């Protein structure tokens, strides 16, 4: 048979008969849309859970007053706040308030919950930011070292440390750090976000932000900045080591997997050293899982901030949340928890976008 009688190659087929290539742009847009739409059911479920769990012990007015008022006075307050109506109606109205970013008012201080969030939120975000820096600086380098010294004593020591950092309660780690570095060695302050003199200089700023690092820079006084940073060291270490242990194990696992791939074996056969292989071939792939779990770690850090802020008297959302819980101000607790849930959901969405740019495989 002549070669002219053979089947024509695929590129000679008409357009309708060719397999259509997968559109990467369409895949990314579809991935982005799905991840964005998932924010709303996530927030809806969290808002619903918080709303009904807060009312398992009764209405917020009765819980906040704690028996200090008589039945008639309680009934008047409940009617004025709308808590005498059916709970389903209250739930629908609360959803409407959340849609307009109205989280209500605190029962103990009659302040808008948004005002509380604006006052104490910067402290928590600052603490989480510093803690992430500690987690990156400790977890990633040690993860690379454990992979380099795989199955050696160094590897065992670092892996035990990672488990210890993750397993030890945050408040216990904070107390140990305070005892050693603040009480015994007196290297760092015991508690607070800044000394009284530094806070006074920041309070007189015309456009203060609430982020003490930024406000300290705005004062133009290096001593104020040093004071603020010194107060942040111990809380950031106590909270950051929790996530550093997770980063260490993730980096170690992925670096070991990368070092076992064929292209690394080929490079090793050409005489490339292990350190060069670690820096050039295994480092970047090991960072991909770190990016994908950052959103979950933000949630973990926000949860750990409650105990860290209380231990160090770091006046952020965790610190004030404990006070509201003790005073049984369920409206304030509900608003703060819902706002934190919204922040975590949005953070996960942003992290998913970054992960899709770094590793296109997550889009499909």
């Amino acid at each position: 048979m002549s070669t002219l009688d053979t089947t024509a190659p695929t590129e000679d087929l008409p357009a309708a008969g060719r397999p259509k290539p997968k559109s990467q742009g369409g895949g990314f847009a579809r991935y982005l849309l799905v991840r964005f739409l998932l924010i709303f059911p996530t927030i809806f479920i969290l808002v619903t859970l918080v709303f009904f769990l807060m009312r398992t012990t009764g209405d917020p007015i009765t819980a906040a007053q704690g028996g200090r008022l008589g039945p008639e006075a309680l009934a008047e307050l409940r009617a004025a706040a709308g808590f005498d109506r059916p709970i389903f109606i209250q739930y629908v109205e609360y959803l409407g308030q959340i849609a307009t970013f109205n989280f209500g008012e605190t029962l103990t201080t009659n302040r808008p919950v948004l005002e509380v969030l604006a006052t104490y939120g910067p402290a928590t975000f600052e603490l989480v930011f510093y803690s992430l820096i500690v987690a990156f600086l400790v977890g990633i380098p040690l993860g690379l070292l454990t992979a380099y010294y795989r199955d050696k004593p160094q590897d065992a020591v670092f892996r035990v440390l990672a488990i210890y950092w993750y397993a030890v309660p945050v408040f216990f780690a904070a107390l140990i750090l305070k005892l050693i570095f603040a009480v015994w060695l007196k290297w760092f302050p015991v508690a607070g976000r800044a000394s009284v003199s530094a806070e006074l200089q920041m309070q007189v700023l015309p456009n203060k932000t609430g982020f003490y690092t930024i406000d300290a820079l705005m004062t133009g006084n290096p001593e104020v900045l040093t004071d603020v940073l010194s107060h942040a060291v111990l809380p950031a270490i106590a909270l950051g080591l929790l996530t550093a242990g997770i980063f260490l194990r993730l980096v170690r696992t992925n670096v070991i997997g990368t070092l076992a791939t064929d292209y690394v074996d080929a490079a090793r056969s050409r005489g490339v050293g292990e350190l060069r292989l670690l820096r050039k071939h295994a480092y970047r792939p090991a960072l991909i899982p770190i990016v994908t779990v950052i959103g979950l770690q933000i949630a973990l850090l926000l949860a750990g901030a409650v105990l860290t802020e209380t231990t160090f008297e770091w006046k952020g959302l965790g610190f004030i949340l404990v006070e509201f819980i003790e005073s049984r101000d369920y409206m304030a607790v509900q608003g703060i928890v819902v706002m934190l849930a919204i922040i975590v959901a949005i953070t996960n969405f942003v992290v998913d976008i970054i992960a899709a740019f770094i590793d296109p495989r997550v889009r499909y």
Side-chain angles (χ1 to χ4, degrees):
M1 181 181 293
S2 172
T3 55
L4 295 176
D5 297 327
T6 58
T7 304
T10 305
E11 56 268 17
D12 293 333
L13 291 175
R18 299 179 192 171
K20 294 181 180 180
K22 193 171 185 179
S23 173
Q24 293 186 359
F28 178 70
R30 184 169 56 253
Y31 170 82
L32 205 62
L33 178 62
V34 170
R35 300 305 301 177
F36 177 75
L37 292 177
L38 284 175
I39 293 177
F40 299 99
T42 302
I43 294 176
F44 173 76
I45 293 172
L46 290 171
V47 168
T48 302
L49 288 174
V50 171
F51 181 88
F52 286 103
L53 287 175
M54 287 289 100
R55 283 157 177 77
T56 54
T57 58
D59 67 274
I61 295 293
T62 304
Q65 294 303 321
R68 291 189 295 269
L69 297 178
E72 294 182 358
L74 277 176
E76 292 179 1
L77 288 176
R78 291 177 67 240
F83 294 123
D84 59 338
R85 290 171 295 176
I87 190 170
F88 181 74
I89 295 177
Q90 297 180 40
Y91 171 66
V92 173
E93 290 182 351
Y94 186 69
L95 289 180
Q97 292 178 356
I98 293 295
T100 59
F101 285 92
N102 178 11
F103 295 91
E105 293 185 352
T106 63
L107 299 175
T108 53
T109 59
N110 294 323
R111 295 175 62 189
V113 175
L114 278 180
E115 182 181 321
V116 175
L117 293 170
T119 303
Y120 295 94
T124 298
F125 295 145
E126 206 167 31
L127 177 59
V128 169
F129 175 75
Y130 287 137
S131 301
L132 276 177
I133 292 177
V134 172
F136 283 128
L137 293 179
V138 175
I140 294 178
L142 290 184
L144 292 172
L145 282 176
T146 54
Y148 180 73
Y149 293 108
R150 180 184 180 184
D151 298 330
K152 294 182 180 179
Q154 297 93 324
D155 180 25
V157 170
F158 290 138
R159 290 167 65 186
V160 169
L161 279 178
I163 297 173
Y164 175 79
W165 291 337
Y166 185 76
V168 171
V170 176
F171 71 90
F172 182 76
L175 289 174
I176 294 298
L177 290 172
K178 285 179 65 174
L179 181 64
I180 296 175
F181 296 102
V183 178
W184 292 350
L185 299 177
K186 301 185 185 300
W187 288 357
F188 300 102
V190 176
R193 294 180 65 195
S195 63
V196 176
S197 60
E199 287 191 346
L200 289 175
Q201 294 187 54
M202 290 185 288
Q203 288 299 322
V204 299
L205 290 172
N207 299 314
K208 59 180 181 294
T209 63
F211 295 92
Y212 273 21
T213 306
I214 298 175
D215 292 342
L217 289 170
M218 291 171 60
T219 62
N221 188 346
E223 294 182 358
V224 175
L225 179 61
T226 302
D227 181 85
V228 168
L229 293 178
S230 64
H231 279 80
V233 170
L234 294 183
I237 292 176
L239 189 56
L241 289 180
L242 175 68
T243 304
I246 299 174
F247 286 175
L248 189 154
R249 295 181 66 85
L250 280 174
V251 171
R252 177 188 180 275
T253 301
N254 283 274
V255 167
I256 290 175
T258 304
L259 290 176
T261 56
D262 293 337
Y263 74 90
V264 173
D265 288 337
R268 189 180 287 116
S269 65
R270 294 195 302 269
V272 179
E274 291 296 323
L275 279 177
R276 182 176 176 82
L277 288 174
L278 193 66
R279 293 196 309 266
K280 297 296 183 180
H281 298 282
Y283 177 69
R284 289 186 179 180
L287 295 183
I288 293 176
I290 296 294
V291 174
T292 58
V293 301
I294 282 181
L296 296 176
Q297 300 314 309
I298 293 292
L300 181 65
L301 290 175
L302 287 173
V306 175
L307 296 174
T308 307
E309 291 179 3
T310 304
T311 306
F312 285 98
E313 297 181 21
W314 184 279
K315 294 185 178 181
L317 289 177
F319 181 85
I320 197 65
L321 182 62
V322 172
E323 291 191 355
F324 283 134
I325 292 174
E326 291 176 349
S327 61
R328 307 189 72 180
D329 192 333
Y330 286 0
M331 291 301 294
V333 174
Q334 181 176 270
I336 292 174
V337 172
V338 168
M339 190 62 191
L340 291 177
I342 293 173
I343 293 171
V344 170
I346 295 175
T347 302
N348 275 287
F349 173 66
V350 174
V351 169
D352 288 338
I353 296 175
I354 297 173
F357 275 112
I358 295 176
D359 187 4
R361 293 174 298 176
V362 303
R363 307 177 193 174
Y364 305 103

